Amino acid sequence: MNWAKINVEKQLIKARNKKITEEGLLHQVKKILEQDEKKENEILKKIEENDGQSISNDFNFELLESDKIYHIEQIKNICITYRLRFLNSHYFKAELPYEAIQQIKQLQKKHQITLSGLKIIAPSKSFRLENADDPLLFAPIGNDYYYLIHKWGNDLHPLRKLYAWPFKSLENLILLIIALSIGITALLPDDLFSKNQTTAEFIMIAFFMVKWIGGMAIFYGFKKGKNFNSAIWNSKYYNA
């Protein structure tokens, strides 16, 4: 059996080329990671410095997913219904999840643009609000349309709509106050003020209940700086 002889020079060249390839590969990987980190830092910086001045991004509409496009009126309606805010990403106090950063990078690469004017839907407590559970990140397309980039966190509590209903408008709050007043009046003993309570007395007691509960609601609203959903959905102020 004849064994092939080993050419030492060829082995040296092979070893040298292998070493260069590995070093080149490591250098290339390091360079890619550094560029990737630089892009992520640029995205985070842009989000933190976002002043909301940009009104649109130059998307390639053929590459957009239609089910992720929303008009400002649809966003406003959801915010009012569930007492949420739609504000510039600059006011968002939590860190964006890694998945959201990756989605932004993919969109920018796909559309060959740098996203700006990003906005987020979330409860008030998720924002750094100036004193006067389910975030969604959007980018403006233009003409009052927004593109949903990423959603993270937990879904809203199923009773949040019920909780937010009284704050949806002044009419809703008045209806709640009247309903509570009638309910509390009905629970009072019939002989609390007289032996035989008449309908007129019931209405009078209910009227005083409306004044009492309404007064408490007004006091609480002013003290806590609360306002109706329709007034705060896009306000950056805590007590708007």
Side-chain angles (χ1 to χ4, degrees):
M1 184 176 182
N2 294 324
W3 295 90
K5 293 182 178 180
I6 297 172
N7 187 314
V8 177
E9 183 182 2
K10 287 184 179 179
Q11 293 300 316
L12 282 171
I13 293 171
K14 187 177 179 181
R16 183 189 63 187
N17 291 342
K18 184 179 179 182
K19 185 178 180 181
I20 291 172
T21 303
E22 288 178 352
E23 288 179 351
L25 180 62
L26 287 172
H27 178 72
Q28 187 177 1
V29 170
K30 184 180 178 182
K31 190 175 180 181
I32 290 171
L33 290 174
E34 287 175 349
Q35 290 176 346
D36 206 46
E37 185 178 1
K38 185 180 178 182
K39 287 180 181 178
E40 289 182 6
N41 290 334
E42 287 175 354
I43 290 170
L44 289 172
K45 186 178 179 182
K46 206 164 191 65
I47 288 171
E48 290 174 359
E49 296 177 350
N50 175 28
D51 56 5
Q53 295 300 313
S54 177
I55 57 172
S56 65
N57 289 285
D58 192 19
F59 283 106
N60 182 342
F61 281 84
E62 293 182 359
L63 301 177
L64 291 177
E65 298 176 41
S66 59
D67 61 336
K68 291 186 177 181
I69 298 174
Y70 299 88
H71 190 263
I72 190 66
E73 287 300 321
Q74 296 166 334
I75 293 172
K76 178 182 177 181
N77 183 53
I78 289 297
C79 289
I80 291 175
T81 300
Y82 294 99
R83 198 168 177 80
L84 303 171
R85 301 229 187 182
F86 182 58
L87 298 176
N88 298 331
S89 57
H90 165 72
Y91 296 105
F92 192 67
K93 63 184 179 183
E95 289 187 7
L96 283 183
Y98 177 76
E99 293 80 4
I101 301 295
Q102 294 305 307
Q103 288 291 339
I104 293 173
K105 284 165 58 180
Q106 288 176 20
L107 267 179
Q108 291 187 154
K109 183 178 180 181
K110 191 176 182 180
H111 294 265
Q112 296 296 304
I113 59 174
T114 300
L115 293 176
S116 59
L118 302 179
K119 289 180 175 286
I120 292 177
I121 288 180
S124 299
K125 63 182 180 181
S126 300
F127 294 100
R128 290 186 293 264
L129 300 178
E130 298 178 13
N131 192 18
D133 297 331
D134 181 33
L136 287 84
L137 179 65
F138 290 86
I141 298 175
N143 200 28
D144 286 338
Y145 281 93
Y146 289 83
Y147 189 74
L148 176 61
I149 298 174
H150 187 64
K151 171 189 175 296
W152 68 98
N154 299 320
D155 291 334
L156 294 174
H157 193 280
L159 296 179
R160 186 176 180 89
K161 185 176 182 179
L162 185 63
Y163 151 76
W165 185 84
F167 305 103
K168 193 173 181 179
S169 65
L170 178 61
E171 292 80 5
N172 286 21
L173 182 61
I174 291 173
L175 285 174
L176 177 66
I177 291 172
I178 292 173
L180 283 174
S181 301
I182 293 173
I184 293 172
T185 303
L187 292 174
L188 294 175
D190 291 339
D191 58 350
L192 183 63
F193 298 104
S194 62
K195 289 184 178 181
N196 297 311
Q197 183 175 286
T198 63
T199 303
E201 289 174 338
F202 180 88
I203 294 173
M204 184 178 67
I205 295 170
F207 176 72
F208 280 109
M209 282 292 178
V210 168
K211 290 177 64 177
W212 177 65
I213 296 174
M216 292 289 289
I218 292 171
F219 174 77
Y220 174 78
F222 276 108
K223 183 176 175 60
K224 296 292 185 179
K226 299 295 182 180
N227 208 332
F228 296 106
N229 301 355
S230 56
I232 68 167
W233 74 276
N234 63 346
S235 173
K236 64 180 181 178
Y237 296 103
Y238 174 76
N239 58 351

